[in-house]
Amino acid sequence: MNHTFTATILCRKEQKLMNTCMMKYANQGEQDAARQEWFATMDQRREEREKKEVKRKEDEKFWREWWDKNPNKKPGDMPGKNA
């Protein structure tokens, strides 16, 4: 059964309220302000991504050492041998 049509009829009042709100706040001025904020914080977001990547690499190194996970080591290799 398809309930989409029923929801549209039953939620018509709420839909009109949402559309009114969108028309009030989603205007060109708000879009311009959001765009300006996005460009202003571009460098900050890039730095956060870079820090997150550095932390991910450090964590990966830590857990490899912790669990002695050598990606080149094959199952059955002797501990003293290097692959």
Side-chain angles (χ1 to χ4, degrees), residues 15 36 61 69-70 81:
Q15 182 183 12
Q36 184 178 9
K61 181 181 175 190
K69 298 289 184 187
N70 183 349
K81 290 185 179 179

Side-chain angles (χ1 to χ4, degrees), residues 8-25:
T8 303
I9 290 172
L10 293 176
C11 299
R12 186 175 305 271
K13 181 180 178 184
E14 289 83 356
Q15 182 183 12
K16 287 188 183 283
L17 286 172
M18 183 190 70
N19 286 342
T20 302
C21 183
M22 293 293 286
M23 296 287 283
K24 183 177 177 183
Y25 293 107

Side-chain angles (χ1 to χ4, degrees), residues 1-6:
M1 287 188 165
N2 190 352
H3 295 287
T4 306
F5 184 70
T6 306

Side-chain angles (χ1 to χ4, degrees), residues 31-56:
Q31 291 176 9
D32 291 342
R35 188 177 299 109
Q36 184 178 9
E37 179 184 350
W38 187 84
F39 280 113
T41 59
M42 227 164 68
D43 292 334
Q44 179 184 355
R45 290 191 312 275
R46 180 185 45 77
E47 290 172 5
E48 289 172 359
R49 281 193 309 271
E50 289 172 354
K51 287 178 185 177
K52 189 176 180 180
E53 181 62 17
V54 167
K55 183 180 181 333
R56 185 195 66 77

